[in-house]
Amino acid sequence: MKKSLLVSFFIFMVVMIHSPSFASAEKYIVIDPGHGGKFSGTSGYSGAETGFYEKVGTLEIGLKLKEKLEETDIKVFMTRQTDRDFANDSKEDLIERMNVANGFANGNNDNSLFISIHHNAYPFSTLVKGYETYYYSKAAAWDEEYPPDPMQVNFESESRRLASIVHPQVLNKTGLLDKGIQNDQAFFVIRNAQMPSVLVELGYMSNPSEESLIKTSRFQNDAAEALAQAAINFFKVFEVKDSSGKEIKQFTSRDDAITFAKTLNNVTVFDKDKQETIYDSTKVNYDVYIKGKSKAVSFTELSDAINYAKDRNNTKVIDKKKGTVEWSNYLTRPYQIRSKDGSSKGSYFEKSQAITAAKAMKDVKVVNRSSAETLWTNISGEQVTKTLNVKALAGSDRFETAVKISKEIYPQGFKDNKNEKTVVLTNGLGYADALSVGPLAAQLGNAPILLTRSSSLDPFAEQEIKRLGADKVLLIGGKSAISTTVEKQVKGLGVTAERIGGANRYETNLMINERLDHVEGVFVANGLSYADALASSPIASASDWAILLTDKKELSAEALSYVKGQDTAILGGEAVISSNLEEQLKNSNGSNVKRLAGETRYETLAAILDEYNDEMVSDTVLLSIGQDFPDALVSSSLAVQTGAPLILVHDALNSSVQDVLFEYGMENRVTTLFTVGGKVQEKPKSQVANRLY
């Protein structure tokens, strides 16, 4: 029968707060073949005699629509697939029908649509015919007795858009008379659908000729084809959304959507068809660095980052998530794809980039350009000639990690003929006294550095002293750092215990330095911050340089006397070593004073590594975290043994340190990467490893 405003009653419905999914949702359609079971719909012109009621035609079209859409990436649901009803009462039937429909869309409402299929009738004339599309508009069809679902009110613009897509498709495909898009009817199903929705009246069954048409398989197929295409087209839009997921504007052009989004901050562009976010300025995906600068300019799109970098000198673009170099106008591309005949098929900044590209080619290999060694190949008979052994030196805590390093250096303990069988023991919970001990440990026959607690000798350290076969333990720090109890425990192991400890860290530092047999130069570092001193320790230990600790403002007379006449390198910027202290040194040592500094501890590390790159020539690299001292502290003896640089990282490899590793990896055939301690994250470890192939 003709469906004017359906009589129903108000149902209180709890409205779910909906946050649209940007990347993992699916496209849904809920097909609702109108009526069913005891609710047959209009009998039309001849249905009472033939049995072809409205419910029959709508189900035929609905099933054909389902079949067509199942060939697409739209997930299809139907309120009914047989001749059934949902309740004995017509009002309850509609309520339950929409509970079923809305249940399908629950949680994915933004990416769902609802099409209710019907045929029309006009009891007063058999001449009326044509096609109408309905959507719900609160302004045009408000009835206080029959309020709409609040979610449908919010979806009104999308329902209107769906109607505007469905209507011409159906007209063009079926040839029905155009009776327009309507929004003045509050049909229960469209006003209570919790997703964009339309109701289609596919011809008048009260019109004999139109009823005959509706019964044909061809018409049913054409109507289903039109609705399927409309559903497909409905999703072909690009939504610009704010950070909460609220849509700001919608576009049919990808480029227009992204162009508009770039005028805003903290927005996304969602490709509704592919169900993926294609632009996201709520996240920073790429950083542009200028060489020697710690701060980056961030971009969402790689193309934007590269365009910005191209206009500037000494720049590179880093993928923040991967930590990979994507573009640069000053770095060398270390990795090359070569064919069988040796011709180049492209050069890359990252090994992973080269291998990914090479996998799409035949009979090629990826080589390190400087060494010509093969890193990957699919050429028959060719072999990989360069690998990197990544080895973790990590214990259950810092005390065991120190032992792991000692065992790496002396796997069989001290040899019987070793002149110096000394172990350096320092407080593992405070760095004050031990920052400068690396060079002394190196000169004591490369003594391993072990850690202990203040009040009692750590069991890991105790067992290692025994295993090594040490005859002497050098205690670093006063009795507050290493107690007399520890000293007695050490002596109880049958070894000599000697203490180097002053009234404070600076006195202890001078006492350590005075024990050095030979000094080629002096690093001056802030004694209240461990980062810069630790960064220099492997180089100082391997090169006979001392590490002199000071406060920020000035050197003591004793410290100034110690450094006088020496080549001197100040570590860190003026935030840690003042310009006044630098003047003190220059007045004493003249042109032999230089400052190695960056905006962060990692930039300073890069400056140190770059300045003394000739001192670090090795097939090994050490890697540890830069936010804590113990793992890096005990690494200096391993650095002395291997000649390796110590790389300090946080959650990613610093840009300037990365540049140093670019050069180091090309100039040295690195075969081993030691990660010291268990706190090095996978991302920086991978970044460092990739630079060393």
Side-chain angles (χ1 to χ4, degrees), residues 35 264 356 398 416:
H35 306 282
L264 307 174
T356 298
R398 61 187 62 191
D416 291 339

Side-chain angles (χ1 to χ4, degrees), residues 236-240 250-262 269-272 274 276-279 301 303:
K236 291 185 180 297
V237 292
F238 303 89
E239 300 169 331
V240 180
Q250 194 178 91
F251 295 84
T252 57
S253 164
R254 173 192 177 100
D255 291 343
D256 289 347
I258 292 176
T259 298
F260 175 75
K262 287 179 179 179
V269 177
F270 185 63
D271 183 334
K272 203 175 184 76
K274 294 182 179 178
E276 63 182 17
T277 299
I278 59 173
Y279 176 88
E301 296 289 293
S303 58

Side-chain angles (χ1 to χ4, degrees), residues 15 99 177 209 216 230 406 592 621 635:
V15 179
N99 285 341
L177 177 68
S209 63
T216 66
S406 176
N592 292 333
V621 168
S635 298

Side-chain angles (χ1 to χ4, degrees), residues 504-507 509-510 514 524 548-564 581 584-585 588:
N504 55 45
R505 68 188 67 193
Y506 303 111
E507 283 192 16
N509 169 240
L510 283 172
E514 286 168 358
V524 178
L548 181 67
L549 303 181
T550 180
D551 63 18
K552 174 182 176 179
K553 296 181 179 180
E554 62 180 359
L555 287 167
S556 67
E558 294 82 3
L560 198 58
S561 174
Y562 178 81
V563 79
K564 188 175 179 63
L581 193 150
Q584 266 189 297
L585 286 170
S588 173

Side-chain angles (χ1 to χ4, degrees), residues 320-447:
K320 279 184 67 67
K321 183 177 180 180
K322 299 176 183 176
T324 54
V325 178
E326 299 297 317
W327 184 92
S328 177
N329 56 16
Y330 73 94
L331 290 174
T332 302
R333 296 175 185 261
Y335 307 106
Q336 188 176 65
I337 300 175
R338 291 181 186 171
S339 62
K340 262 185 175 181
D341 62 8
S343 60
S344 173
K345 297 295 183 180
S347 296
Y348 299 83
F349 293 107
E350 302 287 346
K351 175 174 65 75
S352 58
Q353 296 165 349
I355 292 175
T356 298
K359 285 180 177 180
M361 305 177 191
K362 292 182 178 180
D363 294 330
V364 294
K365 59 183 177 180
V366 176
V367 302
N368 180 302
R369 292 177 65 193
S370 62
S371 67
E373 290 188 282
T374 302
L375 313 180
W376 180 94
T377 182
N378 60 11
I379 300 173
S380 178
E382 288 267 3
Q383 299 293 323
V384 171
T385 60
K386 171 66 186 296
T387 58
L388 181 69
N389 177 31
V390 181
K391 185 174 182 179
L393 297 176
S396 58
D397 57 22
R398 61 187 62 191
F399 303 97
E400 188 180 12
T401 295
V403 170
K404 294 276 187 180
I405 293 174
S406 176
K407 288 181 176 179
E408 181 67 32
I409 302 170
Y410 299 107
Q412 306 302 322
F414 292 144
K415 292 182 177 180
D416 291 339
N417 61 353
K418 191 176 189 301
N419 292 330
E420 290 275 2
K421 297 180 182 179
T422 301
V423 170
V424 173
L425 186 66
T426 187
N427 190 313
L429 301 176
Y431 61 82
D433 295 317
L435 285 180
S436 61
V437 79
L440 179 58
Q443 291 192 8
L444 293 173
N446 199 26

